[in-house]
Amino acid sequence: MSLLTVGSVAFDAIETPYGKTDKIVGGAGTFISLASSYFVDRQNIISVVGDDFPKDTIKDLNSRGINTLGLQVKEGEKTFFWSGKYHNDMNSRDTLITELNVLENFDPVVPNDYQDSDYVMLGNLSPLVQSTVIERLKNRPKLIAMDTMNFWMDIAMNDLTKTISMVDLLIINDEEARQLSGEYSLIKAAQIIRDMGPKILIIKKGEHGALLFVNDDVFYAPALPLEEVFDPTGAGDTFAGGFMGYIASTHDLSFENLKRAVIYGSAMASFCVEKFGTQRLLELDKEEISNRVNQFVKLANFDMNLLVK
Ligand code: AMP
């Protein structure tokens, strides 16, 4: 089943307590599509870069089954650039620089080859671009998921709420859920956000795992307690990529399967943070991923004898 990813393809400069990078390849669309490439053989990406973006990286994406027909390369323009610095606890970060560059006037084109996409992951990018892609799809996909961030809440709240009303699933972090809903309690925030449109909501809580809300059901998945988190950049996108890759490959939207997808997403995210940028996502194999998923199963599994008088 085909998966379409929309999201920034970018240069990032990252500073963590473990080190600092110059410009390296990043972007929500890059992390999502690399993570989902471990689940689907063929997938499509819509994004835009400048002519400063390395052709070899596009080849790397192609070699992982990612169709880049919808990745526009703008001659004479610069690729989106983001720079961030993590605090010592690695749970929070400051955005130092956001240069939209080619993203500023991005008009997404949906190639004909992409029109059969059953699953769509709208990664972090302008909400107007996200809704334009939905409007340009001739058929309604089986599931449209979306991610966003505080940056867009600050500068484009009206576009954002319109896009949120058009999707089936929203994936955001706890801080963003609180900002979007104006409510501190995540349970109340979840209700307010689902009243905006998406039937399914996932709230990521960094090293504290993720919550899945579907109808009256809630599922909590832990994050793997890792000895060392090297660079959390892209962990949220990698989660989304693992989640949607698993959904697109199993083609099952039941609550039980959504729970499994959350575990696959969490497992993929746990790899992403082990090295800078996309490095770890380029070198995984099936066995490593299965072993990691089994660690999650062991971590959260227990027998219970009810012993209340
Ligand atoms: P995450 O750590 O999952 O929030 O994602 C980090 C990635 O998001 C980085 O690789 C950035 O290039 C990308 N990013 C940061 N800010 C934006 C933005 N305003 N729009 C689109 N992508 C962004």
Side-chain angles (χ1 to χ4, degrees), residues 15-301:
E15 198 176 330
T16 78
Y18 295 96
K20 208 175 161 173
T21 67
D22 285 329
K23 281 189 178 181
I24 56 171
V25 169
T30 317
F31 284 104
I32 294 168
S33 54
L34 283 176
S36 54
S37 71
Y38 288 91
F39 301 88
V40 292
D41 293 331
R42 247 202 62 221
Q43 60 168 316
N44 305 316
I45 187 166
I46 290 179
S47 193
V48 63
V49 290
D51 60 7
D52 52 352
F53 195 75
K55 308 253 174 319
D56 282 352
T57 304
I58 300 181
K59 281 192 197 142
D60 286 343
L61 297 179
N62 296 146
S63 70
R64 295 214 49 84
I66 302 162
N67 181 351
T68 50
L69 208 61
L71 175 65
Q72 300 175 31
V73 180
K74 295 279 178 197
E75 293 302 320
E77 292 190 45
K78 281 166 76 182
T79 299
F80 172 79
F81 173 61
W82 176 81
S83 166
K85 181 176 177 178
Y86 287 86
H87 300 167
N88 278 343
D89 67 359
M90 292 292 235
N91 277 326
S92 50
R93 70 182 177 203
D94 294 324
T95 288
L96 304 178
I97 304 170
T98 301
E99 285 174 10
L100 289 176
N101 299 329
V102 281
L103 275 190
E104 184 115 44
N105 298 308
F106 177 39
D107 185 22
V109 174
V110 182
N112 260 340
D113 278 18
Y114 288 20
Q115 284 295 348
D116 64 348
S117 302
D118 289 310
Y119 298 92
V120 175
M121 177 64 224
L122 301 171
N124 191 9
L125 192 110
S126 135
L128 192 60
V129 170
Q130 292 174 318
S131 61
T132 304
V133 171
I134 301 177
E135 281 157 2
R136 291 183 180 170
L137 289 170
K138 293 187 186 125
N139 304 310
R140 174 85 192 177
K142 296 194 167 53
L143 186 81
I144 303 179
M146 137 181 207
D147 184 12
T148 188
M149 75 185 288
N150 48 4
F151 179 83
W152 302 110
M153 293 178 202
D154 294 338
I155 68 164
M157 194 54 145
N158 285 344
D159 289 339
L160 184 64
T161 46
K162 178 189 157 203
T163 310
I164 289 176
S165 75
M166 298 164 80
V167 305
D168 307 300
L169 162 59
L170 182 67
I171 306 176
I172 50 176
N173 71 30
D174 44 1
E175 202 185 308
E176 293 155 356
R178 290 184 172 120
Q179 182 171 349
L180 182 62
S181 63
E183 179 56 64
Y184 189 82
S185 151
L186 290 181
I187 302 296
K188 288 185 187 162
Q191 196 49 54
I192 294 169
I193 293 169
R194 284 191 298 155
D195 288 344
M196 293 177 175
K199 293 182 296 293
I200 311 170
L201 174 67
I202 295 175
I203 300 181
K204 297 164 293 176
K205 289 159 59 69
E207 66 170 340
H208 302 297
L211 289 161
L212 165 71
F213 298 86
V214 188
N215 301 320
D216 291 332
D217 292 317
V218 186
F219 171 66
Y220 169 70
L224 204 64
L226 294 169
E227 253 176 59
E228 220 169 61
V229 173
F230 194 76
D231 170 21
T233 308
D237 309 312
T238 303
F239 172 94
F243 178 95
M244 286 302 279
Y246 181 77
I247 289 295
S249 69
T250 52
H251 202 42
D252 171 1
L253 293 176
S254 66
F255 183 55
E256 286 309 309
N257 205 49
L258 291 170
K259 280 159 65 172
R260 286 190 279 270
V262 169
I263 297 297
Y264 270 95
S266 306
M268 295 307 287
S270 75
F271 287 119
C272 173
V273 304
E274 289 176 346
K275 287 188 182 169
F276 268 128
T278 55
Q279 218 177 322
R280 200 69 181 95
L281 292 185
L282 290 163
E283 60 186 28
L284 295 173
D285 62 40
K286 207 171 158 182
E287 197 184 341
E288 224 177 338
I289 296 172
S290 302
N291 288 342
R292 190 59 65 93
V293 167
N294 279 332
Q295 277 180 270
F296 272 89
V297 174
K298 268 169 96 178
L299 184 70
N301 208 4

